Amino acid sequence: MSFSLPQALVLLVPLGLFLWKRGARPGIPMLLRWGLLLLAVGALAGPELVLRDAGSDVVVVVDRSRSMPLDADRVALELVKLLEGQRRPGDRLGVISFGREARVEQPLSAAGTFGGFSRPVDADASDLSAALDAVGVLIPPERTGRVLVVSDGRATGADARGAARRLAARGIAVDFRHVAREEAPLDLAVVSVDVPSSVTAREPFQFSAVVVASGAVTGTVSLERSGQLLVKGPYEFRPGPNVLPFRDLVEKEGLASYRLSVEAPGDGLVENDEGRAVLRVEGPPRVLLLTRQPGGTFAKTLEATGMRLEVREPFQLSLDTLDGVAAVVLENVDANSLGEPGLNALAAYVEQAGGGLVMTGGRDSFGQGGYRRSALEPVLPVSLELREEQRRTSMAMSVLMDCSCSMGATVPDGRTKMEVAAEGVVGALTLLNERDEVSVHMVDTQSHEIFPMSPVSGGLPLDEVARGFSGGGGIYVGEALRTGRKEILSSDKATRHVLLFSDAADSEEPDDYKATIAALRSENVTVSVIGLGTPSDSDARLLQEVSALGGGRIYFAQDALSLPRIFSQETITVARSAFVDVPTSMEAAPDLPLLGKLSPQGLPQAGGYNLTYLKPRANVALRTLDENAAPLLALWPRGAGRSVAFMGEVDGEFSGELRQWSGLRAALESMVRWAMEGGGKPEGEAVARAERQGNLLRVTLDLAPGEPMPTALPTLVVLPGDGSSAPVELPMRWEDEDRLAAEYTLPGRGTWHPVVKLGNRALRAPPVALPYAPEFEPGSPKEGRAVLDAVAAVGGGVERLSMVGLFAEAPVSEGRVALAPWLVGFAVLVLLAEVVVRRFFSTPQLRKPAPAKVSRPAQVPAMATAGATASAPARAREAPREAGQEQSSAEGDAKPPPEKPAGNVDSALEAARARSRKRLGR
């Protein structure tokens, strides 16, 4: 027996005294009351019955990283099946898989069978320590058990012995089953490619690479720089480390990427046959102009200023391509041409790395260009929302969503494709106004109505759209278009549009799609398509044809996470309200002097502009003179960088008088130069350095001697080169009086860009490259087994070659049964029994009433004695009293009538009259 709140038992003393003093009753009711008090206080104390044999919890932890054998999942599944048959009453079995992160595949269960591994893990790492900590969370604190680790022991996270100690403190031991690849007779591994941290353009330099061979072999070495083959030839490898020297010279500033690969017959582990390194080639800051008019006004203007200019067609950006770039100019560039990772990289480049951004307007820019709900929208000084006053006409739209089984696949953030697409549809519906109408259907082999064509003013069931489901089979395109035709033709809006979302690799049964689209076009209905996939997918051509015949647009979302942005882009485009296509005059705004000595006089008309709204704390330099009074040129600092938005079209159909404006070149140059000044002031000699050991990145910051101490502790920001994940920021620590340092475990392969934030400055350390997961570094299976032995030895675990007896050898948990509910139930029964006994079976004790004391008044006035001044109520009470006395005398009753206790003046007067009558013999 134990109590969860034993302090409550102290209440027995005051409550018992109160019951003894105020609640005492003779006989059985008193006994019942004492019992009720004991039960109530006992329940409050939380009594628990401790059971010494409540079974054990066993958790199987399975390594699913890339270094494991190909059949590792099958072996682990067989072990789990063997353990399921050994469970005794009270025993529970759970399964956790891990790579870079731990996933609970099956919670602790006393029955049922494990169906297999279904949770995705990042297989480029194996964090055994995190997996063991997940076991500590899965097993409740009041229970104990045992852990079985199925792994090759090549752990890449923190030292797993720390997590094993935490489990051992709870009496949970860690056993292991060593499952590893067979030791290869030969292994060539590129350990490192050591290049200088930076060089200048056209500067010769030397670098080297280290290749470890497990035996003597003749192999082939290939060296590439940014995709260009530099060296390829045979090499005689000796057992152990081999140092390979190289020389190179780079003509162009930027980031040079080196890739070294080795090949040899009989190499049993090809995953570590590649090494990578990146080299920063320094030069004057340059401007990257992305435009489809390389010979246009903007390019000519920047070339005339003497800036280092790089003009390219829009492409998928990365931080690798932006290294050494001081500002990026997007001249009427569609967001889809940059790619979702490219948008993420560009946003990190401005906010974290201190870069500059200039975006100009046009039909393919801002909201109509797909930047609404993108990673770049928060960077811009203007809002791309679609407000009510922008809309000129109402519209109707029928949304057809692919809900086939392929939509049930997960994306990197753990959601399904269907959930991401539903988020995009909900975001698009919120852009509609109350005059619009819309319908939403989900389609696989048949159409599933979410809601029919309905006015937005009546409210839309957005929650039902957000709960989108994944059905079966592929999407029947013909069935979807017929549903869209039925819904959209039920509306009489001037603008009517059908939007089809479908998997580019799983679109089936087009049926009579051409006839359906022809019927829609005859009614001035347009059809656009969002295809999940790439233009090279098997059904992409069909989707392209649907959009072409429907007079709409085709989008391909290679990354499912871009769907919310694309749905918003298409809705804004259909509404045709985000771009004003009439000539508009402009005026200078108060913040125009920020861009230098630009004259506010003689400003031309803009042939058209993107309608946006100024964000709070942003600066506006030019504003339109129409009814919108919209910003035409806005700018602001954003994070460590700067951002400029010019909503007019510089060189195109809607340039208007801008093209002939004499001040255009000065304005464009001022915008770019202002954006280039981001990243903080360049004064000071602080230097940031970076080095990689395995997957551990170490960054140091050396302050100049005598430089003032920073008012705030600098932080390290690690940016993924491809923009595939979010930046990571962590504080730096002091190592000595002039140096700070920080370390970060790189999560995966690729290029990583460390940036040190020092006050208002962003110092870019040299980027580093991780060619392969550290678990593929040279080593033998014996080393992995030694790691597992060390982890098991912490808590007394052993290697499990057989699963027999694992539950029997696991410590038994203590089960606890709460008794408070039972005590409360008994207390209710006792209370009812006390009431019944007191009401029906207990004889009340009659008490003799105490004689009333009559207070004699000190003086009674004569008039009161005679009754001359007696009140009417007194006389009324006196008459029945006298009548009663006369009736008693007539009946010969010897007992005098009882006197009413006197308690006030009236009763005292009546007593005086009675005495007077007795003396007078009346």
Side-chain angles (χ1 to χ4, degrees):
M1 176 75 70
S2 64
F3 295 91
S4 60
L5 189 64
Q7 300 89 334
L9 297 176
V10 179
L11 295 175
L12 288 173
V13 177
L15 294 179
L17 291 175
F18 178 82
L19 180 61
W20 180 55
K21 285 287 188 181
R22 296 300 182 95
R25 290 185 67 87
I28 297 178
M30 191 61 188
L31 295 177
L32 294 175
R33 290 187 177 186
W34 280 110
L36 179 62
L37 175 63
L38 293 175
L39 290 173
V41 175
L44 187 62
E48 296 176 333
L49 182 62
V50 179
L51 302 179
R52 299 297 178 183
D53 188 7
S56 301
D57 291 342
V58 171
V59 180
V60 182
V61 178
V62 182
D63 185 351
R64 300 184 63 208
S65 63
R66 296 187 190 278
S67 63
M68 292 289 288
L70 297 178
D71 63 341
D73 285 0
R74 180 188 59 79
V75 173
L77 184 60
E78 292 177 356
L79 297 178
V80 172
K81 295 297 184 183
L82 291 174
L83 291 174
E84 287 174 345
Q86 299 181 28
R87 284 179 295 200
R88 305 161 300 180
D91 290 340
R92 302 188 301 177
L93 180 65
V95 181
I96 290 178
S97 65
F98 72 97
R100 188 182 310 281
E101 65 286 320
R103 305 288 190 191
V104 177
E105 298 281 356
Q106 175 180 283
L108 290 169
S109 173
T113 58
F114 178 54
F117 299 97
S118 59
R119 302 290 303 277
V121 297
D122 187 345
D124 280 341
S126 53
D127 194 344
L128 178 58
S129 177
L132 294 180
D133 284 333
V135 173
V137 176
L138 186 62
I139 299 179
E142 66 274 9
R143 291 181 64 88
T144 186
R146 214 166 180 93
V147 180
L148 175 65
V149 175
V150 182
S151 173
D152 60 357
R154 301 182 71 86
T156 60
D159 191 343
R161 288 177 293 181
R165 291 189 187 96
R166 291 187 285 272
L167 291 176
R170 296 176 48 186
I172 302 175
V174 178
D175 298 335
F176 70 91
R177 176 71 173 267
H178 186 231
V179 178
R181 296 185 181 185
E182 294 183 2
E183 187 170 4
L186 176 66
D187 181 25
L188 277 182
V190 181
V191 175
S192 65
V193 179
D194 302 316
V195 298
S197 58
S198 63
V199 297
T200 59
R202 293 172 295 280
E203 173 191 355
F205 62 93
Q206 296 180 344
F207 65 100
S208 62
V210 179
V211 179
V212 174
S214 60
V217 65
T218 300
T220 302
V221 176
S222 300
L223 177 66
E224 298 177 359
R225 188 224 308 140
S226 301
Q228 178 185 359
L229 183 62
L230 300 179
V231 176
K232 184 173 183 179
Y235 190 90
E236 297 289 338
F237 293 101
R238 302 185 307 272
N242 298 262
V243 179
L244 283 66
F246 299 100
R247 293 173 57 88
D248 198 13
L249 181 149
V250 184
E251 296 282 348
K252 187 178 179 182
E253 299 91 349
L255 199 67
S257 175
Y258 289 91
R259 174 180 176 272
L260 176 69
S261 61
V262 294
E263 297 178 4
D267 190 354
L269 191 63
V270 298
E271 288 85 354
N272 56 16
D273 290 353
E274 179 183 298
R276 290 183 179 270
V278 287
L279 171 66
R280 175 172 291 167
V281 183
E282 296 182 341
R286 69 185 193 277
V287 177
L288 175 62
L289 172 61
L290 300 183
T291 178
R292 300 192 185 279
Q293 303 182 62
T297 303
F298 217 136
K300 293 178 180 178
T301 298
L302 296 182
E303 287 176 354
T305 62
M307 296 183 186
R308 302 276 297 183
L309 180 63
E310 181 182 359
V311 182
R312 297 185 60 177
E313 290 277 337
F315 67 100
Q316 295 199 0
L317 295 172
S318 68
L319 284 175
D320 296 351
T321 58
L322 296 177
D323 196 82
V325 174
V328 177
V329 180
L330 303 177
E331 185 183 7
N332 196 16
V333 174
D334 188 279
N336 296 302
S337 62
L338 303 179
E340 202 67 23
L343 293 170
N344 296 333
L346 187 54
Y349 161 79
V350 176
E351 295 186 285
Q352 309 295 342
L357 172 66
V358 178
M359 180 182 290
T360 67
R363 288 286 193 187
D364 293 330
S365 189
F366 293 102
Q368 195 157 319
Y371 292 93
R372 170 70 175 167
R373 297 175 64 89
S374 72
L376 206 59
E377 183 182 11
V379 177
L380 298 174
V382 291
S383 172
L384 307 182
E385 57 189 310
L386 189 64
R387 295 186 178 179
E388 177 67 24
E389 59 267 23
Q390 294 178 234
R391 301 292 301 278
R392 298 293 183 262
T393 60
S394 59
M395 59 173 286
M397 184 166 63
S398 175
V399 181
L400 309 170
M401 301 177 61
D402 182 354
C403 67
S404 60
C405 58
S406 62
M407 292 295 108
T410 58
V411 296
D413 66 358
R415 294 180 295 171
T416 64
K417 294 179 180 179
M418 189 72 253
E419 291 172 336
V420 178
E423 177 190 339
V425 174
V426 170
L429 297 183
T430 58
L431 295 174
L432 304 178
N433 63 24
E434 293 188 352
R435 300 191 303 271
D436 296 333
E437 294 179 347
V438 66
S439 67
V440 177
H441 289 73
M442 295 187 180
V443 185
D444 44 26
T445 58
Q446 58 182 339
S447 179
H448 308 276
E449 182 179 282
I450 303 301
F451 60 88
M453 187 63 64
S454 308
V456 177
S457 59
L460 302 177
L462 299 181
D463 55 338
E464 295 184 15
V465 179
R467 293 194 297 266
F469 60 89
S470 175
I475 176 174
Y476 282 17
V477 175
E479 175 67 22
L481 292 175
R482 286 191 292 270
T483 300
R485 180 183 62 182
K486 175 185 175 183
E487 292 295 328
I488 201 65
L489 294 182
S490 66
S491 173
D492 59 357
K493 298 296 182 181
T495 301
R496 294 179 292 183
H497 187 66
V498 174
L499 178 58
L500 171 65
F501 165 66
S502 182
D503 192 335
D506 195 21
S507 299
E508 305 174 359
E509 301 295 334
D511 291 341
D512 55 347
Y513 72 103
K514 292 183 179 181
T516 303
I517 296 175
L520 290 172
R521 295 298 293 136
S522 66
E523 299 288 341
N524 293 323
V525 178
T526 54
V527 181
S528 290
V529 179
I530 300 177
L532 182 59
T534 65
S536 60
D537 287 341
S538 57
D539 298 319
R541 185 178 297 276
L542 169 63
L543 300 182
Q544 289 173 329
E545 186 177 6
V546 169
S547 65
L549 294 175
R553 289 150 296 279
I554 178 70
Y555 306 87
F556 285 104
Q558 185 173 359
D559 188 344
L561 295 177
S562 65
L563 289 175
R565 177 180 58 79
I566 296 177
F567 273 105
S568 296
Q569 177 183 0
E570 174 63 11
T571 305
I572 293 174
T573 302
V574 174
R576 297 185 183 277
S577 54
F579 189 83
V580 178
D581 56 3
V582 296
T584 307
S585 299
M586 67 181 77
E587 65 175 354
D591 298 324
L592 182 61
L594 291 176
L595 296 176
K597 298 180 179 180
L598 293 179
S599 174
Q601 306 299 326
L603 295 175
Q605 281 190 332
Y609 68 94
N610 295 84
L611 182 55
T612 60
Y613 299 90
L614 192 70
K615 289 181 179 178
R617 297 186 298 277
N619 305 105
V620 58
L622 295 175
R623 185 183 292 113
T624 65
L625 286 174
D626 57 3
E627 67 275 11
N628 294 319
L632 194 65
L633 175 57
L635 59 157
W636 70 346
R638 178 65 182 181
R642 293 183 174 186
S643 175
V644 180
F646 179 62
M647 274 58 72
E649 188 173 23
V650 175
D651 203 0
E653 178 184 357
F654 299 98
S655 298
E657 298 178 359
L658 281 175
R659 191 176 299 160
Q660 289 78 34
W661 179 37
S662 59
L664 177 60
R665 291 194 172 189
L668 297 178
E669 180 182 359
S670 298
M671 288 188 287
V672 175
R673 291 197 182 278
W674 187 87
M676 292 174 64
E677 295 176 1
K681 300 178 181 179
E683 69 265 13
E685 299 179 2
V687 178
R689 297 183 175 88
E691 61 177 353
R692 178 183 65 84
Q693 296 179 351
N695 64 335
L696 182 65
L697 171 66
R698 174 179 167 81
V699 178
T700 58
L701 176 65
D702 293 309
L703 302 176
E707 184 175 351
M709 302 292 287
T711 55
L713 194 66
T715 59
L716 169 65
V717 181
V718 182
L719 308 174
D722 58 0
S724 59
S725 58
V728 177
E729 185 171 0
L730 57 154
M732 304 189 75
R733 65 181 186 278
W734 288 100
E735 286 195 337
D736 57 36
E737 59 182 6
D738 294 326
R739 172 174 290 186
L740 297 100
E743 294 179 347
Y744 175 68
T745 302
L746 299 176
R749 296 173 292 176
T751 305
W752 301 88
H753 294 251
V755 176
V756 175
K757 288 187 175 181
L758 178 60
N760 63 341
R761 288 183 286 172
L763 305 178
R764 304 183 194 179
V768 298
L770 185 64
Y772 52 82
E775 56 188 13
F776 289 122
E777 291 180 354
S780 67
K782 296 179 180 179
E783 297 175 359
R785 179 170 178 171
V787 171
L788 296 177
D789 275 326
V791 172
V794 171
V798 297
E799 181 179 8
R800 289 280 175 181
L801 300 179
S802 173
M803 298 297 104
V804 177
L806 182 56
F807 274 103
E809 298 177 17
V812 179
S813 302
E814 291 184 349
R816 296 177 181 270
V817 179
L819 300 180
W822 294 92
L823 295 182
V824 171
F826 283 126
V828 172
L829 295 177
V830 171
L831 176 62
L832 295 176
E834 191 272 342
V835 173
V836 171
V837 170
R838 179 164 45 83
R839 285 270 185 174
F840 301 105
F841 300 100
S842 178
T843 303
Q845 183 179 359
L846 299 178
R847 295 185 179 181
K848 192 173 183 177
K853 295 182 179 180
V854 180
S855 58
R856 184 185 300 273
Q859 295 180 353
V860 179
M863 294 179 64
T865 305
T869 61
S871 62
R875 290 195 299 271
R877 288 191 296 270
E878 181 180 2
R881 181 183 295 273
E882 292 175 355
Q885 289 177 350
E886 291 174 0
Q887 183 177 2
S888 300
S889 300
E891 293 176 358
D893 191 355
K895 295 183 180 179
E899 295 183 0
K900 183 178 180 181
N904 51 33
V905 176
D906 292 339
S907 59
L909 292 175
E910 291 175 1
R913 293 190 191 98
R915 289 193 297 271
S916 177
R917 286 193 295 269
K918 186 176 181 179
R919 286 195 298 270
L920 296 175
R922 294 182 181 179

